[in-house]
Amino acid sequence: MKKTVFLFAISSFAISVIAHSFFLIEWANDRYMTGNGDGLAQMIVFKSFLYDQYKNGSFFYSYSFGLGGGIYSQLGYYFTTSFVYIASFAAVFLMQIMHLAGDADTLFWAQAAVFISVVKLGLIILIASYAFHYMVKHKLAAFTGAVLYGTSVIYFRHTVFWEFFSDAMLWLPLLVAGAEKIIREKRTGLFITACSLTLFSNFYFAYINLIFIAIYVIFRWLIRLDEQEETRWKQFRLFAVSCLISFGISAVSFVPAVYGFLNNLRPPYDQAVALYDFTDNILFSSRIILLPSVFLLFLFVFSFYKNKTFRLFAGISVLLVILHYSPLAASVFNGFSAPQNRFEYLLAFTIGGAIAIGIKELKNISRKEILYSSLLVLFIYIAAIWHKDLDLSLVKNWSILVLLFLTIAAFAAAGIKYKKAHLLLHGCLLASAVLVANTYQKYVLSEASDIKSVTKSYLTSNEYNGEEQRELLENMKKDDGGDQYTRIDWMNGVRNNTPLIQHFNGFSAYSSILNQHLLLFYWKDLQIDMERESVSRYATMGDRANLYSLLYGKYYMTEKENAPDVPYGFEKTDESEHYAVYKNKYTLPFIRTAKTVFTEKDLAEAPVLAKEHAMLEGIVLENHQEKEQPPQISNLIGQTKIKTKGARYQNGVLEVTAEKGGIDLIPESGLPNEGDYYVEFYLKSLAKDQFFNLQINDYVTSRKSNQSIYKTGIYDLTIRVPKAEKISIRLPKGKYKLDNLNLYQEDYQTLKKAAAKNAPKADMSWEQNKLSISYENKSGDRYMVLPIPYEKGWELMVNGKKQDVEKANYSFIGFSIEKGDNDIQLVYYPPYFKATLAITIISLAAGIWYSRRRKKLGS
């Protein structure tokens, strides 16, 4: 047994290295195995960020993640509890201790990506070999099937673009083997382990894997493989108890992550989802799944169906092929949201199983079946070529045809029982698997998807993380006297996670899961334009000085070329060849106290400028018995002329007839002495599918198409415009709903008054997830507000008494304080952390007891 395991392990990792040949050669030339989209914007960024967090003992919260947030709940979708990442962290940490690795920055993780993938793929092949061998009882067949599963194109697609996606391929074979252990032996230990691992590691792919296991078990109940199998009812009870224990074991990770997902804000997908879409060619050119020709050859050997295990895997495979062509199924696997083809690794697994069984059954095949199957498969490939009109000059398509004929030849030789022909077939299948994998890496990933642009020179350039930018950021930190809470508005292009890359506190974040209170703050409450509409991002403060001051924004950095109008009250303090730095003259203190209380309800219909003034004058709470009247702001739209330019505007509909046109707003009151305008309006394109840019004077922001799955569904906009004689709203040719125009003037007297107040004298320290404040309330203020986002998980003690944290200023932490001395302790834990930790410990003990009990009963 030890020799067999050793041989499987060596073979698995050898195949993994060969399957990565292309990217290993690319690594030697300083080109890396990570996507130039989310790979550079999220994957290597979050890995670098979490490494620093974990290394410093900060496991739960980070002030630097966007405007601040819990990393368990908001990054649980990515790497927070991923066992692959945790193992990577441990390995890198040990390497640093032994001085074998330098800083674990984004460049490091990009360089390490191919080696992590080699190890992960080796483990996937090894685990799948175990699962297939348990069912097939043929070592080489099990290994070959596992290789075809592990090296499937979807593994490389997922690993390159969204690295954690492919982690699910580790746990799937364990789940199937665990399910078989329950069905055949009534033993639950492996299933509980596998189910706990997948639930703990990633809730999203646990959802997909458990859907598959449910389908698998249903098929198994229809296709009994062993007469000694327990009754379905008893199996159901074993599965139910095992799943319950598994959910309990994973609770400490699973519950906070799911809470973060539910606390996210994403508009419902309101577009029609088609039942079927047959555009993808899974024989030649699919980017998601390519069917091995041997699978089709085996599928048409009808004597194979006498083998129940082949019938099982072939039946599930055919079902999953059908589902691959259904956007509705893709939506179901994506949580009933927008269709996403992320589940096809399930198909790769069942195909691997079918091939493993088919290889074992070759001894029973007839020559007639070889001929019929080969002709049918050739006909299918010819039909695919004719139907899709493929360009066979492409090397990748020619290679698939060559592999097809080689596979048919090896299949025929093995079936006719030539000496050692079985080894020829195995060799052909293994060689074709690694060849397809490397061909896919080169032509589909590196060239067609431009992964070749992810180079060392790019990752150290000003386009991503340049030295010139880092020097200016260091200068800001020195100028600020080392204030660790200062926020800087700087984003490199459209990379919202720039603050994580360059290690500063910023105003932007890009993650699939974000704090819904912050998203509402941007989208609805304050209508802050981010210069780019997106459901999974937030950025900047819309160049609105009041908001920068309220959220401790001291610095603003921008490119000199095409530099925008900086926010009011920011003065240039530093510059380099390509960038300029501005400092806020009116920054408010990090800790603010207030007597005056406004409520969200009373401000609901007020313009956003009135809401800003309310936050500057006091504090805004959701509900409060004593409340002030909202600040009054004059609407200038009644004293403003509206003129069209290259457009027609009537009854709230703007039809732009020129290539670029719109309306001009000309205030009759004349140019203000200082300050800005705030222009509010409703804007929606009436085109079915049109991405467009909105320009207001020099300010440009982009809006998604109505067909985009990433549109916010928010059409009420507020744009800050520096003082000017006219406000020009420009749009590309088309028809738009443009309504509810309002215009306000901001002279910043309220901001200046707030900044002139004496800052509260308070001592503050923040270590990991604990914030301590010592404050003497001499002025008798009733509330304290902090620029820390409100979210579930914060616990508050004031002078030793437990107290509720309130949502203040729409999205931040507020709480009542007492007269005189206030000893304030704020501690953050992931939502339901203490309760779920207790459940995990109890369930782990229960799982060990239950598994041992079932093992004794089974034996």
Side-chain angles (χ1 to χ4, degrees):
M1 179 59 71
K2 289 181 180 179
K3 184 179 179 181
T4 301
V5 172
F6 179 76
L7 186 61
F8 267 125
I10 292 297
S11 303
S12 297
F13 286 101
I15 287 290
S16 180
V17 170
I18 297 169
H20 285 86
S21 297
F22 175 79
F23 275 124
L24 287 168
I25 294 170
E26 290 288 279
W27 176 87
N29 292 296
D30 290 333
R31 293 187 291 269
Y32 307 126
M33 187 181 175
T34 191
N36 59 354
D38 286 345
L40 296 185
Q42 292 186 322
M43 304 304 130
I44 63 173
V45 179
F46 291 153
K47 291 170 80 172
S48 174
F49 167 68
L50 287 172
Y51 185 86
D52 290 338
Q53 290 291 116
Y54 290 175
K55 188 177 179 181
N56 295 325
S58 298
F59 300 105
F60 302 136
Y61 193 87
S62 174
Y63 178 74
S64 298
F65 177 60
L67 290 171
I71 58 177
Y72 240 67
S73 53
Q74 294 184 53
L75 292 179
Y77 174 63
Y78 297 92
F79 300 107
T80 311
T81 56
S82 162
F83 285 104
V84 174
Y85 177 72
I86 291 169
S88 302
F89 167 84
V92 174
F93 185 70
L94 288 174
M95 289 171 65
Q96 287 185 338
I97 290 175
M98 295 184 289
H99 304 288
L100 298 176
D103 292 337
D105 56 9
T106 50
L107 176 61
F108 172 87
W109 288 105
Q111 292 171 327
V114 67
F115 300 104
I116 294 171
S117 181
V118 166
V119 174
K120 179 161 61 173
L121 179 56
L123 288 172
I124 288 171
I125 295 171
L126 181 60
I127 294 170
S129 296
Y130 163 75
F132 289 148
H133 183 258
Y134 182 80
M135 301 184 71
V136 178
K137 307 302 182 187
H138 189 290
K139 295 173 185 176
L140 192 52
F143 179 73
T144 302
V147 169
L148 290 168
Y149 164 57
T151 60
S152 57
V153 297
I154 195 168
Y155 170 80
F156 292 98
R157 173 179 170 81
H158 278 179
T159 300
V160 168
F161 294 121
W162 311 281
E163 186 179 335
F164 66 95
F165 278 21
S166 58
D167 292 5
M169 294 179 70
L170 278 167
W171 318 128
L172 180 64
L174 278 181
L175 280 166
V176 171
E180 286 293 332
K181 285 275 190 180
I182 288 178
I183 294 170
R184 296 171 187 238
E185 303 176 34
K186 300 179 281 297
R187 293 185 178 183
T188 59
L190 182 58
F191 185 80
I192 290 173
T193 301
C195 195
S196 300
L197 285 170
T198 193
L199 287 165
F200 196 100
S201 187
N202 186 281
F203 74 91
Y204 176 80
F205 282 96
Y207 167 77
I208 295 176
N209 279 356
L210 293 180
I211 288 177
F212 172 78
I213 284 299
I215 294 171
Y216 182 88
V217 170
I218 291 171
F219 267 80
R220 281 292 278 113
W221 286 350
L222 296 174
I223 305 173
R224 292 175 64 88
L225 303 181
D226 190 337
E227 293 302 321
Q228 304 302 316
E229 291 175 10
E230 193 55 89
T231 64
R232 293 167 187 166
W233 171 242
K234 289 184 178 179
Q235 288 181 38
F236 175 80
R237 285 191 299 175
L238 291 173
F239 278 116
V241 174
S242 298
C243 286
L244 185 63
I245 291 172
S246 299
F247 273 99
I249 292 172
S250 67
V252 71
S253 166
F254 183 78
V255 171
V258 171
Y259 176 84
F261 169 76
L262 297 175
N263 194 51
N264 190 32
L265 183 64
R266 185 163 289 203
Y269 186 71
D270 57 1
Q271 299 177 36
V273 179
L275 183 59
Y276 287 109
D277 180 359
F278 293 102
T279 56
D280 196 30
N281 189 324
I282 60 177
L283 298 182
F284 284 99
S285 57
S286 174
R287 294 171 179 264
I288 300 164
I289 190 76
L290 290 172
L291 295 187
S293 53
V294 70
F295 169 69
L296 291 175
L297 288 166
F298 287 177
L299 205 62
F300 294 114
V301 176
F302 298 108
S303 64
F304 281 2
Y305 290 91
K306 296 176 182 177
N307 183 300
K308 293 182 179 180
T309 308
F310 181 84
R311 201 186 309 165
L312 170 72
F313 280 111
I316 300 176
S317 298
V318 170
L319 173 64
L320 290 173
V321 167
I322 294 169
L323 295 182
H324 168 75
Y325 284 106
S326 172
L328 182 60
S331 173
V332 171
F333 277 105
N334 194 36
F336 297 89
S337 185
Q340 295 282 10
N341 290 98
R342 294 171 178 168
F343 66 90
E344 278 78 0
Y345 68 93
L346 307 174
L347 173 58
F349 177 78
T350 57
I351 285 174
I355 291 171
I357 298 294
I359 291 172
K360 183 183 177 183
E361 289 296 308
L362 272 174
K363 61 182 182 292
N364 301 320
I365 195 173
S366 67
R367 295 187 179 188
K368 186 182 294 185
E369 285 182 308
I370 294 172
L371 178 63
Y372 287 162
S373 177
S374 300
L375 290 175
L376 277 171
V377 171
L378 282 172
F379 174 78
I380 289 170
Y381 272 81
I382 292 168
I385 294 170
W386 174 78
H387 179 65
K388 294 298 179 184
D389 192 24
L390 291 178
D391 179 6
L392 293 181
S393 63
L394 291 176
V395 176
K396 58 182 180 180
N397 289 330
W398 271 115
S399 67
I400 288 177
L401 286 177
V402 171
L403 288 174
L404 168 66
F405 287 109
L406 285 175
T407 303
I408 290 175
F411 167 61
I416 297 171
K417 301 178 181 61
Y418 282 119
K419 189 175 182 181
K420 296 185 178 180
H422 274 77
L423 291 179
L424 175 65
L425 178 60
H426 284 288
C428 180
L429 295 182
L430 294 175
S432 66
V434 296
L435 179 60
V436 169
N438 282 284
T439 304
Y440 181 83
Q441 292 165 38
K442 176 176 173 59
Y443 291 103
V444 178
L445 297 177
S446 181
E447 295 185 5
S449 300
D450 200 31
I451 306 304
K452 62 185 178 183
S453 67
V454 181
T455 64
K456 182 176 182 179
S457 61
Y458 177 79
L459 290 170
T460 54
S461 71
N462 276 343
E463 292 181 69
Y464 189 76
N465 185 17
E467 184 178 352
E468 183 183 353
Q469 300 160 357
R470 297 196 304 271
E471 286 181 356
L472 287 174
L473 290 165
E474 286 301 316
N475 290 343
M476 284 181 249
K477 293 175 184 177
K478 291 177 184 177
D479 174 69
D480 202 39
D483 187 344
Q484 58 184 317
Y485 308 111
T486 293
R487 291 207 177 275
I488 303 166
D489 191 355
W490 158 244
M491 200 171 77
N492 205 340
V494 295
R495 298 199 181 278
N496 291 57
N497 286 325
T498 296
L500 300 184
I501 298 171
Q502 299 184 332
H503 304 290
F504 66 92
N505 304 319
F507 283 91
S508 59
Y510 171 34
S511 172
S512 292
I513 295 176
L514 293 167
N515 183 342
Q516 70 166 324
H517 301 298
L518 279 177
L519 294 177
L520 286 169
F521 180 75
Y522 270 89
W523 297 357
K524 292 184 177 181
D525 299 325
L526 274 297
Q527 296 177 13
I528 304 167
D529 187 78
M530 300 180 284
E531 300 182 16
R532 181 186 185 187
E533 182 185 14
S534 175
V535 294
S536 51
R537 303 170 187 259
Y538 59 78
T540 84
M541 286 289 119
D543 293 343
R544 285 151 60 175
N546 293 332
L547 297 177
Y548 284 111
S549 296
L550 283 161
L551 298 181
Y552 213 52
K554 291 187 182 180
Y555 296 94
Y556 185 98
M557 187 163 112
T558 184
E559 295 182 22
K560 285 183 176 179
E561 186 179 358
N562 301 321
D565 290 305
V566 300
Y568 177 87
F570 281 72
E571 295 180 336
K572 184 186 287 188
T573 58
D574 197 5
E575 64 180 329
S576 63
E577 182 182 356
H578 299 101
Y579 306 95
V581 173
Y582 300 83
K583 188 173 183 179
N584 189 357
K585 294 193 298 182
Y586 304 113
T587 305
L588 301 180
F590 186 89
I591 297 171
R592 296 180 61 233
T593 57
K595 289 181 182 177
T596 307
V597 178
F598 302 93
T599 66
E600 290 184 14
K601 181 179 179 181
D602 289 336
L603 288 165
E605 302 301 322
V608 296
L609 185 53
K611 296 176 182 179
E612 290 182 7
H613 284 187
M615 291 188 287
L616 291 169
E617 293 175 5
I619 184 173
V620 179
L621 299 176
E622 278 190 291
N623 297 293
H624 198 266
Q625 292 181 345
E626 300 175 28
K627 51 194 177 184
E628 297 287 333
Q629 288 300 313
Q632 298 300 307
I633 307 292
S634 298
N635 190 347
L636 305 180
I637 197 67
Q639 297 82 46
T640 300
K641 293 181 181 178
I642 300 177
K643 293 186 176 180
T644 57
K645 182 74 173 180
R648 291 188 290 271
Y649 184 48
Q650 189 175 8
N651 298 326
V653 176
L654 176 70
E655 185 176 0
V656 178
T657 54
E659 288 302 312
K660 190 175 183 179
I663 62 172
D664 292 332
L665 305 180
I666 306 171
E668 295 179 349
S669 56
L671 196 65
N673 293 328
E674 64 173 340
D676 298 328
Y677 288 114
Y678 280 39
V679 56
E680 294 182 0
F681 50 90
Y682 176 97
L683 176 67
K684 182 180 182 181
S685 171
L686 298 180
K688 183 179 180 180
D689 187 5
Q690 179 191 19
F691 170 90
F692 64 95
N693 284 337
L694 162 69
Q695 182 171 352
I696 302 183
N697 288 10
D698 294 328
Y699 184 85
V700 179
T701 183
S702 66
R703 305 296 295 171
K704 299 287 186 188
S705 158
N706 289 328
Q707 297 293 311
S708 173
I709 63 175
Y710 300 111
K711 67 182 179 72
T712 61
I714 301 297
Y715 306 106
D716 290 307
L717 307 178
T718 296
I719 307 295
R720 167 259 185 180
V721 183
K723 59 181 181 179
E725 292 183 354
K726 67 178 179 180
I727 300 161
S728 300
I729 300 175
R730 295 292 181 264
L731 293 159
K733 182 184 289 187
K735 190 176 285 189
Y736 308 85
K737 178 72 173 177
L738 177 62
D739 208 357
N740 300 333
L741 281 161
N742 297 292
L743 185 64
Y744 305 95
Q745 182 182 327
E746 170 61 304
D747 59 11
Y748 292 106
Q749 295 307 307
T750 304
L751 173 60
K752 291 177 181 179
K753 183 178 177 182
K757 288 183 179 179
N758 292 327
K761 293 182 179 179
D763 294 325
M764 183 175 75
S765 65
W766 195 337
E767 296 181 3
Q768 282 87 42
N769 62 325
K770 184 177 181 180
L771 177 63
S772 300
I773 301 172
S774 179
Y775 170 65
E776 186 179 359
N777 185 12
K778 294 181 179 180
S779 59
D781 288 341
R782 296 185 292 168
Y783 283 89
M784 181 177 287
V785 61
L786 304 173
I788 301 171
Y790 173 85
E791 61 180 300
K792 190 175 185 63
W794 283 107
E795 297 177 359
L796 171 67
M797 298 281 285
V798 178
N799 292 331
K801 299 176 183 177
K802 191 173 182 180
Q803 190 171 304
D804 290 336
V805 176
E806 297 189 54
K807 181 162 72 77
N809 291 351
Y810 295 97
S811 185
F812 298 91
I813 284 177
F815 48 87
S816 60
I817 54 176
E818 301 174 1
K819 291 181 180 180
D821 292 337
N822 285 264
D823 177 39
I824 300 161
Q825 303 291 324
L826 274 161
V827 182
Y828 178 86
Y829 290 103
Y832 311 107
F833 179 74
K834 294 176 183 177
T836 55
L837 180 60
I839 292 171
T840 291
I841 294 170
I842 294 168
S843 299
L844 187 59
I848 293 170
W849 172 82
Y850 187 68
S851 298
R852 287 182 174 177
R853 181 171 178 267
R854 293 308 316 171
K855 185 176 181 180
K856 288 180 180 179
L857 292 173
S859 60

